Amino acid sequence: MSDRKIRVLIAKPGLDGHDRGAKVIARALRDAGMEVIYTGLRQTPEMIVEAALQEDVDVVGLSILSGAHMALAPRIMELMYESELDDVAVIIGGIIPDEDVEPLKEMGISGVFGPGASTESIIAHIRGLAARA
Amino acid sequence: MKSIETLIEEMRSGSRRALARLISQVENETPDGQHALKLLYPHTGNAATVGITGAPGTGKSSLVNTMTKELRRRDKTVAVVAVDPTSPFSGGAVLGDRFRMNDLAGDKGVFIRSMATRGNLGGLARATFDVVRVLDAAGFDYVLIETVGAGQSEVDIAKAAQTTVVVEAPGLGDDIQAIKAGILEIADIIVVNKADRPGVKNTVRALRAMLDLGHRQKMVAHHGQLMLMQDGPDTEPEYDFWRVPIIQTIAVEDDGIAKVIDKIEEHGEHLRETGMDSDRERLRLETELVDRLQDALLRDLLDKTGPDELEALLQQIINREVDPASAVRQLVSAS
Ligand SMILES: Nc1nc2c(ncn2[C@@H]2O[C@H](COP(=O)(O)OP(=O)(O)OP(=O)(O)O)[C@@H](O)[C@H]2O)c(=O)[nH]1
Ligand SMILES: [Mg+2]
C-alpha cells in the first residue's frame, strides 16, 4: 500500500548525555510524514530491539555520539537477528570516523550519517528503504 | 509474508513478533487486518480495559509506567496502547509516551504499542479498539489505553474502556482545564498526580466540589436498560452509584499507585455486581454496529451514485429546485 505510514524508532544507546540531535531528527522525520517512536536516552541494545519488535517499525535509527558505535552496533545487529527482525533496516547517525563506515555496513547497517549529513539525505535514505520493502 | 492464519497461530502460542505484525495489519485497516479481526473476535472480551486520559503533561505515561509495575506485582499481564496526535500538517507524528515507560523493558508480561491518531476522524475510537481487541485476544489481563484528553475522539476512546481514569495535576490553572473540556463526566476514577507539587489541596478541593455539586450525570443500569441519572445529593439511593474517588499520586515515585489499582479492581467488581458491565458492553457494541452500518451504507451509496450525480443534485439544491430531504429520498430510492 503506497500510503502506508513509515514507522521509525529513534533511540540513543550508550551513556552519553544529551539527545538534542536525536530530537531534531525525530521532528524532521515527523515533518516528512513518518511516525517516529522516540525512546530517549540510555537505551540498552536489548531495550532497543524489544521496542523495535513491539512497535513493528520499518527502520531503527540509532544516535551515537559517545564513540561506542563499534561496540554497540554488533550487539544490536546480533539481537535483531535473533529476534527475527532481519527485515528491519538499521541506520546510525552521530560522530562516526570514516574508517568505521565500511565495517558498520558489513555488519548490516544500511546507512551511516555523520554530523554533516543533512536531514534530507536521511529522509531520502529511509524512503528508499521503504520503497524496496 | 506469512498468512494471517499463521500469524494468529504464532501469536496465540506467545510470539510477540506475530502480535506486533497483526496489530500493524489491523491499524492499517488492510484486508488481512479485517480478516484477522474476524478470526480473533471470538477470543476477545476477557481483558479489563482501562482508559487513562487527561491534559498534556499531567503525567499519564509516568502513571501507566508505575501502574503497570503494580499490576505486574499482582501477577497480571499488561498491554499498553499509547495514542498521540498525528500532525495535521505533515501526517507524521512523534510518539513519545514509551520514553516514560523504559522501566518496563525486559518484562515478557508487558507489551507496549504506540499509535498515532492518523486521519481517523471520528473513527479513531474504533481503530484504537480494534487494536485493543488484538491485545485482548492475545490474552493480556489488562489493556491500558493512554490518550491526551484534548478532543472529542480521545474522550470517545476513554469512554469505550471499561474503566476511565482521568488524570489531573496541580497548577494547570485555577479552574482546572479539564473541567471545561467536560472530561470529568467520563471519569470513573480521578487521579491528581504530581501531589509533590504545591497546590494539590486546592486542586483536590475544586474537583471534589465539582463532583459534589451534582452536575454529574451517570449512566446507570436499571432493569437491563441504560438510563441517564443525575448523581446529586438529593438522588434517592435507588440506584447503586459508583462514588468517583479522587486519588493523589506521585507517579515518578510510585506513590499512591497501589490505591489507583485497588480502585480500578473495585470498579471492575462494581460493574460486575450491578450488571453494568454487560449493559455497557451492549451499548458499546450497539453503537459500533450502527456506526459501521452507517459507514458501509454511505460508502456503498456513494460508490453507486458517483460524484457527478451527487454534484448535479447539489446544484439543484443550491438553485432551490429540490430540497435537501427530497434529494436524499431520491438518492436512496434510486440506489
Ligand atoms: N513532580 C512530578 N513530576 C511528575 C510526576 N509525574 C510525572 N511527572 C513529570 O511530568 C512530565 C510529564 O510526564 P508524562 O508522564 O510524560 O506526562 P503525560 O501526561 O504522559 O504527557 P503527554 O503524553 O505528553 O500528554 C515529566 O517530566 C515527568 O517526569 C509527579 O508525580 N511529580
Ligand atoms: Mg504521555
Side-chain angles (χ1 to χ4, degrees):
Chain A
M1 244 175 30
S2 58
D3 63 344
R4 203 180 68 76
K5 290 279 179 223
I6 299 174
R7 284 169 68 88
V8 184
L9 181 84
I10 296 289
K12 222 176 140 24
L15 298 173
D16 54 322
H18 77 80
D19 59 352
R20 230 171 298 134
K23 280 186 175 152
V24 169
I25 293 298
R27 276 193 288 266
L29 298 181
R30 175 200 60 195
D31 293 342
M34 302 177 194
E35 290 180 356
V36 183
I37 294 103
Y38 184 73
T39 59
L41 293 167
R42 294 196 189 84
Q43 300 284 301
T44 64
E46 286 77 8
M47 287 161 92
I48 291 167
V49 174
E50 188 186 347
L53 184 146
Q54 292 179 5
E55 301 287 356
D56 194 23
V57 292
D58 305 289
V59 178
V60 174
L62 304 171
S63 163
I64 309 180
L65 303 171
S66 59
H69 49 274
M70 293 311 278
L72 290 166
R75 178 72 187 132
I76 289 169
M77 295 313 284
E78 183 186 316
L79 288 170
M80 294 285 285
Y81 186 77
E82 280 171 18
S83 307
E84 293 176 51
L85 293 174
D86 23 343
D87 55 339
V88 178
V90 180
I91 61 177
I92 296 189
I95 303 166
I96 315 282
D98 285 345
E99 66 266 27
D100 289 345
V101 173
E102 265 321 301
L104 285 171
K105 291 199 167 159
E106 270 160 32
M107 282 171 212
I109 306 279
S110 88
V112 180
F113 299 90
S118 65
T119 52
E120 286 79 13
S121 64
I122 299 175
I123 290 165
H125 180 82
I126 293 176
R127 288 212 174 114
L129 291 170
R132 248 187 288 143
Chain B
M1 176 80 200
K2 285 177 182 163
S3 78
I4 283 298
E5 281 81 1
T6 311
L7 279 180
I8 288 181
E9 205 173 293
E10 288 179 5
M11 177 199 89
R12 292 187 60 78
S13 56
S15 161
R16 297 154 75 78
R17 172 81 161 138
L19 172 59
R21 294 198 141 174
L22 283 167
I23 292 174
S24 299
Q25 294 296 332
V26 166
E27 193 188 6
N28 293 335
E29 298 181 309
T30 63
D32 273 349
Q34 279 161 9
H35 186 52
L37 283 170
K38 176 178 158 181
L39 298 177
L40 290 174
Y41 190 70
H43 304 284
T44 62
N46 302 311
T49 52
V50 181
I52 292 124
T53 194
T58 45
K60 299 176 294 296
S61 301
S62 310
L63 270 167
V64 167
N65 180 49
T66 39
M67 282 165 66
T68 301
K69 284 200 278 185
E70 178 63 24
L71 284 166
R72 294 296 295 136
R73 284 194 283 271
R74 299 183 190 195
D75 268 337
K76 305 290 187 199
T77 53
V78 185
V80 174
V81 180
V83 185
D84 271 325
T86 290
S87 154
F89 306 107
S90 68
V94 173
L95 310 173
D97 296 314
R98 198 182 180 100
F99 174 57
R100 306 269 172 219
M101 304 178 194
N102 281 332
D103 290 359
L104 305 174
D107 182 346
K108 295 283 178 247
V110 177
F111 190 97
I112 304 169
R113 184 64 177 238
S114 311
M115 259 183 95
T117 53
R118 299 194 177 171
N120 276 313
L121 259 185
L124 173 63
R126 199 194 298 162
T128 308
F129 262 76
D130 280 343
V131 168
V132 171
R133 278 183 177 141
V134 180
L135 293 161
D136 183 351
F140 288 95
D141 297 319
Y142 275 82
V143 183
L144 310 182
I145 308 139
E146 174 184 342
T147 59
V148 181
Q152 183 57 43
S153 45
E154 284 85 352
V155 170
D156 284 347
I157 297 177
K159 256 199 304 203
Q162 261 163 30
T163 301
T164 302
V165 178
V166 171
V167 185
E168 299 281 350
L172 285 180
D174 287 342
D175 46 351
I176 304 156
Q177 291 172 349
I179 293 176
K180 280 185 245 154
I183 207 176
L184 277 193
E185 261 102 82
I186 60 166
D188 297 308
I189 294 166
I190 295 173
V191 168
V192 179
N193 187 42
K194 307 198 185 184
D196 53 325
R197 291 271 181 86
V200 212
K201 290 219 168 64
N202 285 338
T203 306
V204 172
R205 203 179 304 128
L207 288 165
R208 188 79 271 165
M210 284 298 297
L211 291 183
D212 290 347
L213 261 176
H215 284 169
R216 292 170 43 78
Q217 292 182 318
K218 263 261 165 239
M219 297 296 269
V220 296
H222 185 59
H223 301 310
Q225 293 285 311
L226 280 175
M227 307 174 75
L228 203 57
M229 281 294 303
Q230 206 74 29
D231 177 11
D234 304 329
T235 315
E236 287 295 312
E238 179 187 347
Y239 300 95
D240 192 8
F241 281 115
W242 168 255
R243 291 279 158 207
V244 176
I246 301 177
I247 306 166
Q248 298 181 36
T249 61
I250 308 171
V252 287
E253 286 167 24
D254 207 341
D255 190 335
I257 308 303
K259 182 130 185 251
V260 176
I261 301 299
D262 286 347
K263 285 293 172 188
I264 289 172
E265 286 178 346
E266 241 174 75
H267 184 250
E269 296 273 296
H270 171 83
L271 292 177
R272 278 187 293 277
E273 277 166 16
T274 55
M276 278 206 26
D277 56 347
S278 43
D279 291 332
R280 276 194 181 191
E281 165 96 337
R282 194 192 149 81
L283 187 74
R284 238 188 341 255
L285 294 177
E286 188 183 342
T287 309
E288 180 174 347
L289 183 63
V290 172
D291 268 9
R292 284 190 195 270
L293 192 60
Q294 268 173 358
D295 271 14
L297 290 176
L298 183 63
R299 216 176 309 121
D300 195 43
L301 188 106
L302 291 180
D303 279 354
K304 280 186 198 143
T305 307
D308 294 345
E309 196 179 326
L310 207 64
E311 177 57 36
L313 206 52
L314 177 62
Q315 203 52 55
Q316 288 183 329
I317 299 173
I318 294 168
N319 296 342
R320 297 294 186 278
E321 293 161 15
V322 181
D323 67 286
S326 302
V328 167
R329 273 197 298 279
Q330 201 177 309
L331 275 175
V332 172
S333 58
S335 73

